[in-house]
């Protein structure tokens, strides 16, 4: 079966790496792809606004399955488009994507379905939002309603910070239309996990969880990023916590999706805060997480194409997910300056040497090939993954590999997974 994967991050690289292990895998096509994906797939720079050329591309290459990685494409209705054209697509409809693309929609969905979450209030009027923070308790969280590539959430320690953030979002339009409406939310104290479940139009099939490190620097300091590293498992996530999550969060979420009549065939990512009073939903995402996907797929022991095609036939109930019983750690290497301003086009050396370390697989993100050399071309550049018998074992391997890279223009955190040994 020929497959078309949309996206160009380490998440998509790890998806393609998993697909390639299946005996059902034919040729893989990817847009835009990256230097790592080019080793496994045929990469093309396609214009997704030109829908006719996309269909021509699918027909010319006998594409039987499309997998959409990033949320922007889902929000633009690309999944609905492929469905209309009769091409099987893994990724929910535009309507279902509102669970991620509008924080206010998502909060109303949570309340309607009585799913534990932070209390909140939404505003489309700047003055009213300002009045509210005048007498609010701090810290509190201000969230832009729309998609913001990880830049739409601010944890405000005091009134000044809240006033500035509201101005940035609602008046200065720092995030464009995404910040026109905001949600002001109760601050939740605890630790976060990212939980993933496959969803079809009949049922759901949990894949598992991972713990992401969102802040740019060691000890969880610095600005929020897309994710600087990830690990699995955590001793704190006992079977009883998992049972609680399934009963109180996953089941009512799936029921809510059915009640909305959403077409949802894809993966659902639930961001959870594990608080003293139990797990609460921070957010929904309608796609795999990055770097969670890289971390989880290293341990998947079931054919990913089987899972995905069963999902698209609404037959997830016939699939059992097997996972290798080992730990998994992912360290993200990013360009200096990320998530703010950074430069590109620096040669990264010794990736091959790093890949030689036992149990290590490297997934590319912002990389490109030029004259057989690998150059940086984005913020997050590589995901170095390792598996092991303990978190410590996987950490040792991952950092042995990372140290072999020869690239002065990047940085990585050395404390991924350290708190959970
Ligand atoms: P979101 O885009 O909603 O996932 O928010 C990004 C990050 O902000 C989350 O991963 C959390 O680390 C943090 N965050 C969001 N909402 C809250 C909250 N209510 N309390 C504490 N931290 C939060
Ligand atoms: N790592 C978090 C995300 O993919 O949104």
């Amino acid at each position: 079966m020929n497959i078309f994967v949309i996206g160009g991050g380490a998440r998509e690289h790890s998806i393609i790496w998993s697909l390639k292990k299946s005996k059902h895998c034919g040729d893989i096509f990817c847009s835009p792809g990256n230097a790592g994906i080019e080793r496994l797939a045929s990469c093309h720079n396609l214009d997704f606004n030109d829908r006719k050329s996309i269909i021509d591309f699918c027909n010319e290459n006998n594409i039987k399955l499309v997998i959409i990685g990033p949320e922007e494409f889902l929000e633009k209705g690309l999944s609905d488009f492929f469905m209309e054209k009769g091409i099987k697509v893994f990724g929910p409809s535009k309507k279902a994507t509102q669970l991620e693309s509008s924080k206010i929609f998502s909060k109303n969905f949570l309340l309607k379905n009585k799913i534990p979450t932070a209390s909140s209030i939404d505003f489309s009027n700047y003055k009213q939002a300002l009045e509210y923070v005048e007498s609010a308790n701090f810290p509190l969280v201000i969230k832009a309603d729309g998609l913001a590539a990880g830049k739409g959430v601010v944890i405000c320690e005091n009134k000044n910070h809240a006033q500035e953030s509201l101005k940035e979002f609602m008046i200065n339009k720092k995030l464009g239309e995404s910040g026109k409406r905001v949600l002001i939310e109760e601050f939740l104290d605890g630790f976060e996990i990212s939980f993933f479940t496959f969803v079809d139009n009949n049922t759901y099939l949990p894949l598992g969880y991972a713990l992401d490190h969102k802040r740019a620097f060691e000890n969880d300091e610095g600005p929020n990023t897309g994710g600087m590293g990830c690990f699995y498992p955590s001793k704190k996530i006992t079977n009883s916590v998992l049972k609680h999550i399934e009963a109180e969060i996953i089941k009512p979420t799936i029921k809510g999706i059915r009640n909305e009549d959403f077409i949802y065939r894809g993966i659902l990512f639930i961001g959870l805060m594990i608080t003293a009073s139990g797990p609460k939903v921070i957010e929904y995402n309608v796609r795999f997480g990055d770097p969670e996907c890289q971390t989880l797929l290293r341990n998947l022991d079931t054919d990913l194409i089987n899972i995905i095609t069963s999902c698209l036939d609404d037959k997830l109930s016939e699939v059992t997910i097997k996972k290798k019983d080992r730990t998994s750690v992912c360290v993200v290497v990013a360009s200096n300056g990320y998530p703010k301003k950074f430069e590109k086009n620096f040669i990264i050396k010794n990736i091959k040497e790093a890949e030689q370390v036992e149990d290590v697989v490297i997934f590319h993100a912002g990389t490109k090939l030029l004259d057989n050399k690998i150059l940086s071309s984005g913020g997050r550049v590589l995901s170095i993954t390792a598996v092991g018998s303990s978190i410590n074992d996987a950490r040792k391997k991952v950092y042995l590999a990372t140290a072999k890279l020869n690239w002065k223009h990047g940085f990585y955190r050395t404390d991924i997974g350290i708190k959970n040994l």
Side-chain angles (χ1 to χ4, degrees):
M1 174 192 289
N2 287 357
I3 305 174
F4 179 26
V5 177
I6 298 173
R11 167 180 56 198
E12 287 75 26
H13 189 180
S14 69
I15 291 171
I16 292 170
W17 173 85
S18 291
L19 298 173
K20 277 277 179 185
K21 293 202 248 174
S22 166
K23 63 174 190 289
H24 305 295
C25 189
D27 292 333
I28 301 194
F29 297 83
C30 183
S31 179
N34 59 42
I37 294 177
E38 273 190 43
R39 296 195 302 222
L40 307 174
S42 161
C43 293
H44 302 261
N45 236 328
L46 301 178
D47 174 4
F48 286 90
N49 292 319
D50 180 358
R51 297 280 166 101
K52 182 178 178 309
S53 73
I54 299 298
I55 282 304
D56 290 345
F57 178 82
C58 289
N59 290 336
E60 277 156 27
N61 295 300
N62 197 20
I63 303 289
K64 296 287 181 231
L65 166 64
V66 179
I67 299 174
I68 302 178
E71 63 278 14
E72 306 91 83
F73 294 103
L74 296 165
E75 201 211 9
K76 286 185 185 138
L78 206 58
S79 178
D80 307 64
F81 169 72
F82 285 118
M83 282 189 268
E84 274 162 29
K85 297 290 174 193
I87 297 177
K88 292 206 164 197
V89 54
F90 184 75
S93 62
K94 184 179 163 77
K95 273 194 182 156
T97 297
Q98 290 174 95
L99 286 171
E100 173 164 3
S101 65
S102 166
K103 300 264 189 220
I104 296 174
F105 178 89
S106 163
K107 187 61 82 178
N108 288 335
F109 175 93
L110 286 160
L111 295 177
K112 199 166 21 165
N113 293 290
K114 300 190 173 53
I115 301 167
T117 186
S119 59
S120 69
I121 171 159
D122 60 88
F123 293 96
S124 44
N125 181 300
Y126 174 59
K127 274 200 181 139
Q128 284 172 1
L130 275 186
E131 266 169 38
Y132 177 81
V133 299
E134 229 8 83
S135 56
N137 291 327
F138 289 88
L140 55 70
V141 186
I142 298 186
K143 297 184 171 185
D145 179 46
L147 289 181
K151 298 185 183 79
V153 175
V154 192
I155 294 171
C156 303
E157 296 296 338
N158 54 48
K159 197 161 72 181
N160 266 353
H161 194 188
Q163 288 164 336
E164 265 169 40
S165 306
L166 288 173
K167 192 168 177 198
E168 283 294 84
F169 286 171
M170 299 181 91
I171 302 293
N172 299 343
K173 298 268 158 65
K174 187 180 154 196
L175 302 171
E177 290 298 294
S178 286
K180 231 173 73 180
R181 296 202 296 160
V182 299
L183 197 68
I184 303 187
E185 195 169 277
E186 164 202 12
F187 176 82
L188 295 176
D189 209 2
F191 68 97
E192 283 179 71
I193 71 166
S194 308
F195 194 96
F196 296 85
T197 179
F198 291 97
V199 181
D200 69 14
N201 279 347
N202 283 324
T203 190
Y204 66 96
L205 181 68
L207 171 65
Y209 72 90
L211 285 85
D212 185 17
H213 291 64
K214 288 212 159 76
R215 301 295 194 99
F217 310 129
E218 315 270 310
N219 297 318
D220 293 328
E221 284 171 15
N224 254 339
T225 69
M228 290 301 292
C230 204
F231 67 96
Y232 165 86
S234 160
K235 284 181 191 145
K236 295 179 200 158
I237 305 298
T238 58
N239 278 339
S240 114
V241 174
L242 288 172
K243 275 195 185 140
H244 184 101
I245 292 172
E246 180 150 17
E248 303 297 321
I249 290 167
I250 300 175
K251 285 194 170 155
T253 299
I254 300 298
K255 201 165 160 226
I257 287 176
R258 296 284 164 270
N259 288 344
E260 299 287 337
D261 240 352
F262 285 154
I263 299 176
Y264 204 122
R265 296 187 183 98
I267 190 108
L268 176 69
F269 161 178
I270 312 180
L272 296 169
M273 186 71 84
I274 313 295
T275 71
S277 58
K280 295 190 176 174
V281 175
I282 303 177
E283 63 165 351
Y284 290 115
N285 296 302
V286 297
R287 42 142 185 114
F288 270 117
D290 182 341
E292 289 94 330
C293 182
Q294 299 86 295
T295 312
L296 287 172
L297 291 186
R298 283 297 313 270
N299 280 344
L300 181 67
D301 208 11
T302 304
D303 184 320
L304 183 59
I305 297 188
N306 259 343
I307 304 177
I308 289 179
T309 51
S310 302
C311 178
L312 300 183
D313 291 338
D314 293 330
K315 288 186 174 156
L316 274 178
S317 56
E318 295 175 11
V319 182
T320 310
I321 288 189
K322 276 196 255 151
K323 283 179 275 185
K324 291 186 180 140
D325 182 20
R326 56 189 190 184
T327 64
S328 181
V329 173
C330 174
V331 170
V332 169
V333 180
S335 298
N336 284 337
Y338 172 80
K340 298 193 173 141
K341 240 179 108 183
F342 57 84
E343 289 180 55
K344 303 182 201 175
N345 297 317
F346 297 111
I347 296 174
I348 311 167
K349 291 188 192 153
N350 289 2
I351 296 182
K352 271 201 184 125
E353 285 76 356
E355 281 173 330
Q356 300 306 313
V357 177
E358 192 194 3
D359 291 331
V360 164
V361 176
I362 299 185
F363 299 115
H364 289 231
T367 65
K368 64 178 184 190
L369 262 183
L370 192 71
D371 301 332
N372 261 333
K373 293 190 177 69
I374 294 172
L375 270 64
S376 58
S377 66
R380 291 190 291 175
V381 169
L382 296 171
S383 274
I384 320 278
T385 66
V387 289
S389 54
S390 63
I391 294 276
N392 217 348
D393 181 39
R395 270 177 47 80
K396 262 190 210 145
K397 291 169 188 161
V398 91
Y399 284 115
L400 191 63
T402 313
K404 286 189 190 289
L405 292 177
N406 181 349
W407 192 45
K408 290 189 200 70
H409 304 277
F411 74 101
Y412 57 89
R413 283 179 55 165
T414 63
D415 62 347
I416 304 301
I418 206 161
K419 282 191 195 149
N420 232 267
L421 294 179

